[in-house]
């Protein structure tokens, strides 16, 4: 695992990004130099390099937006194909204006050039992922763990279904730890980390020996947090939130985040205006009632505000007065509502809440006051979500499907608290890229 700006990322995914970006750069630069002639004078070498670098960096973003950095899809041929095609189309949309800006291609060769760029990108995507999938099957990408456990601890720190790890061996305190965890033995066994319920179980000389051998020493909770990107909420201290990155946010970072939120919100309004107008007309023609739905939600510091959404349910969907979680195939959802909920178009009016300062682009999803009161009683640390502005999208939204129960809320809270603990502009960018994947492939819609 590699930590970037406080967020843990699997090292093989970083290596994949670097390999893929270099391969895309070489392929694009060769095409620009040899295969896609400009309409005027020969392509300037500096302009060609700049264009190839921009498109190679964009290739990583569109691959992430298509879910191609999820190792579980590398062996699923149909999903990999769909993701590659979507990523190729997204890259071509970016390549079209860039080609015109840096490389004035004649109209008769522009389409051919775009087709060649798309094909090259498609081949690079498939080749790199098939190669990494083969490495994963061979076991070369697995991390070997040594478990030090007490009599009550489970044998595995992660679920058996979690890929990428294997247990080298397990020990109990007092079972010859100094000899078993000797640096030479750890190196010979290619051990990546020693995991214990509490690293204090390991004597100081043993811990120093592990560090000398380049072996990490993690608590069970820390390994789960790093690998699963969520927190164990049942074992957090009461005052844990005071030490989070969200609580220590400086004025400069807060100003940058707010400026970014406003800029993207204004862009979304302008870019989606035709879709918004068509959606409003379709809602009005489909069922009686208002186009926009206003609902009370809990924001930063527990402040209640009115959230805006396109109405996707019949009027008086909660005629009994009590809040009800949405369910699969909910009969209250209208025909137009089913479409806009699947495509997440119903969420777009929340940019108005962002502009008003009620919400941010990225943060925990705002819940209704009745649900917040209920979940705060049932789930430890649920109130800590109010440390930051709620968001249109968030770490829980891109990692866990739509929640409609207390247990779902508990799992989503584990992701939300991870976000609070490691919040950064870099993590916000990753969430926004992943949100494109969630929307395009309708993950977790209900």
């Amino acid at each position: 695992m590699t930590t970037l700006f406080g967020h843990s990322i699997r090292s093989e995914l970083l290596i994949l990004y670097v390999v893929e970006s270099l391969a895309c750069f070489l392929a694009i630069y060769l095409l620009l130099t040899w295969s896609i002639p400009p309409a005027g004078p020969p392509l300037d070498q500096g302009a060609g390099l700049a264009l190839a670098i921009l498109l190679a960096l964009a290739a990583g973003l569109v691959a992430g937006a298509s879910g191609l950095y999820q190792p579980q899809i590398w062996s699923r041929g149909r999903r990999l194909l769909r993701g590659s095609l979507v990523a190729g189309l997204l890259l071509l949309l970016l390549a079209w204006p860039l080609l015109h800006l840096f490389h004035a291609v004649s109209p008769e060769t522009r389409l051919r050039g775009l087709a060649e760029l798309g094909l090259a990108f498609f081949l690079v995507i498939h080749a790199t992922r098939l190669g990494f999938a083969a490495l994963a099957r061979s076991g070369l990408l697995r991390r070997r763990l040594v478990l030090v456990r007490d009599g009550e601890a489970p044998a595995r720190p992660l679920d058996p279904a979690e890929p990428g790890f294997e247990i080298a061996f397990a020990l109990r305190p007092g079972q010859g730890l100094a000899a078993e965890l000797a640096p030479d033995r750890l190196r010979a066994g290619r051990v990546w980390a020693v995991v214990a319920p509490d690293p204090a179980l390991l004597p100081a000389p043993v811990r120093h020996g592990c560090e000398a051998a380049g072996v990490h020493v993690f608590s069970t909770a820390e390994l789960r947090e790093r690998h699963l990107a969520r927190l164990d909420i049942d074992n957090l201290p009461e005052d844990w939130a005071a030490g989070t990155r969200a609580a220590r946010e400086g004025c400069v970072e807060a100003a940058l985040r707010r400026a970014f939120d406003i800029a993207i919100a204004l862009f979304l309004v302008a870019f989606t205006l035709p879709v918004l107008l068509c959606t409003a007309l379709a809602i009005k023609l489909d069922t009686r009632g208002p186009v926009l739905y206003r609902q009370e939600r809990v924001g930063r510091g527990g402040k209640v505000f009115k959230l805006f959404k396109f109405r996707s349910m019949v009027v008086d969907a909660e005629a009994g007065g009590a809040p009800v979680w949405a369910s699969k195939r909910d009969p209250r959802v209208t025909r137009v509502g089913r479409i806009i909920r699947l495509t997440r178009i119903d969420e777009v009016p929340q940019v108005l809440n962002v502009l008003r300062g009620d919400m941010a682009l990225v943060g925990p999803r705002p819940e209704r006051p009745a649900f917040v009161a209920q979940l705060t009683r049932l789930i430890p640390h649920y109130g800590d979500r109010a440390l930051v502005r709620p968001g249109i999208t968030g770490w829980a939204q891109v990692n866990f499907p739509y929640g409609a129960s207390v247990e779902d809320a508990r799992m989503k809270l584990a992701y939300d608290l991870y976000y609070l603990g490691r919040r950064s502009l870099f993590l916000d960018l990753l969430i926004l890229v992943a949100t494109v994947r969630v929307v395009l492939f309708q993950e977790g819609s209900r």
Side-chain angles (χ1 to χ4, degrees):
M1 308 292 285
T2 302
T3 300
L4 288 179
F5 304 99
H7 174 54
S8 296
I9 300 177
R10 292 174 61 171
S11 300
E12 61 267 27
L13 297 184
L14 285 178
I15 296 171
L16 172 60
Y17 175 79
V18 172
V19 171
E20 180 180 84
S21 297
L22 288 174
C24 284
F25 169 78
L26 290 174
I28 293 168
Y29 186 72
L30 291 176
L31 284 173
L32 293 175
T33 306
W34 292 343
S35 183
I36 308 177
L43 178 68
D44 177 75
Q45 186 175 10
L49 284 172
L51 179 54
I53 290 171
L54 284 174
L55 287 176
L57 293 175
L61 289 177
V62 298
S66 303
L68 296 174
Y69 283 96
Q70 296 178 296
Q72 62 268 29
I73 76 164
W74 296 348
S75 57
R76 292 161 51 189
R78 185 176 299 178
R79 175 64 179 83
L80 180 59
L81 178 62
R82 286 172 56 207
S84 301
L85 290 174
V86 169
L89 290 174
L90 291 175
L91 186 68
L92 292 184
L93 289 175
L94 294 172
W96 182 279
L98 289 175
L99 269 178
H100 184 73
L101 179 64
F102 286 91
H103 190 56
V105 182
S106 59
E108 57 272 16
T109 60
R110 187 175 299 158
L111 289 177
R112 178 174 64 83
L114 287 171
E116 290 177 355
L117 285 175
L119 178 61
F121 177 61
F122 180 84
L123 293 176
V124 167
I125 285 286
H126 267 267
T128 51
R129 274 150 187 80
L130 290 175
F132 272 75
L135 288 174
R137 286 194 299 270
S138 71
L140 291 177
L141 299 182
R142 283 194 195 132
R143 294 178 178 84
R144 291 169 61 80
L145 306 177
V146 173
L147 303 188
V148 179
R149 50 195 174 92
D150 57 31
E152 303 299 325
R156 290 185 64 92
L158 297 166
D159 295 333
E162 287 298 327
F165 292 96
E166 65 177 330
I167 307 302
F169 53 90
L171 300 169
R172 297 183 188 278
Q175 191 179 332
L177 289 182
E180 295 289 343
L181 299 180
D184 290 342
R185 186 172 187 218
L186 294 175
R187 291 192 195 97
R190 296 185 297 108
V191 172
W192 176 72
V194 175
V195 184
D198 181 357
L201 291 170
L202 303 178
V206 172
R207 291 199 302 272
H208 296 327
C210 292
E211 293 168 3
V215 174
H216 302 280
V217 178
F218 296 134
S219 69
T220 305
E222 187 179 6
L223 179 65
R224 286 174 177 161
E225 178 181 347
R226 284 173 173 267
H227 181 64
L228 303 177
R230 62 178 188 246
L231 297 189
D232 183 357
I233 60 178
D234 292 317
N235 293 313
L236 289 176
E238 283 295 323
D239 59 347
W240 84 279
T244 61
R245 285 187 168 222
R248 302 195 311 268
E249 183 181 60
C251 296
V252 174
E253 183 179 349
L256 286 174
R257 181 174 275 109
R258 181 65 184 145
F260 181 75
D261 284 347
I262 292 173
I264 296 299
L266 292 173
F267 170 78
L268 284 174
V269 170
F271 182 74
T272 62
L273 187 58
V275 176
L276 299 180
L277 294 175
C278 291
T279 302
L281 179 61
I283 292 171
K284 203 67 181 174
L285 294 175
D286 185 37
T287 57
R288 67 177 181 86
V291 170
L292 287 180
Y293 182 60
R294 297 171 179 83
Q295 191 177 70
E296 285 191 343
R297 298 291 176 101
V298 177
R300 185 177 186 177
K303 180 182 176 182
V304 177
F305 66 95
K306 292 284 189 180
L307 177 133
F308 299 101
K309 295 180 72 172
F310 277 127
R311 183 174 58 83
S312 59
M313 291 187 176
V314 297
V315 177
D316 297 327
E318 294 177 344
V324 180
W325 268 311
S327 59
K328 290 184 178 180
R329 299 181 182 84
D330 197 314
R332 301 172 297 165
V333 177
T334 64
R335 289 172 297 181
V336 172
R338 203 167 302 281
I339 296 171
I340 63 176
R341 287 169 77 95
L342 282 174
T343 55
R344 307 297 176 105
I345 294 174
D346 64 320
E347 310 277 1
V348 177
Q350 292 169 41
V351 295
L352 299 175
N353 292 111
V354 174
L355 293 174
R356 291 174 52 174
D358 301 322
M359 296 176 61
L361 285 175
V362 178
R365 284 294 296 156
E367 276 296 352
R368 301 173 66 177
F371 289 147
V372 170
Q374 175 194 12
L375 296 172
T376 301
R377 291 194 306 270
L378 298 175
I379 305 175
H381 300 285
Y382 193 84
D384 293 340
R385 299 167 81 252
L387 191 62
V388 297
R389 286 190 183 96
I392 296 178
T393 184
W395 191 237
Q397 279 63 52
V398 300
N399 284 286
F400 194 79
Y402 185 94
S405 68
V406 173
E407 283 307 309
D408 287 347
R410 177 184 288 270
M411 183 60 74
K412 296 189 82 167
L413 178 64
Y415 287 108
D416 283 334
L417 296 189
Y418 175 92
Y419 172 75
L420 295 182
R422 300 180 179 237
R423 190 179 192 224
S424 67
L425 294 172
F426 174 73
L427 184 53
D428 284 0
L429 176 62
L430 292 184
I431 292 170
L432 291 174
V433 170
T435 301
V436 178
R437 179 202 83 222
V438 171
V439 173
L440 288 177
F441 296 97
Q442 300 177 0
E443 296 179 11
S445 299
R446 185 169 294 185

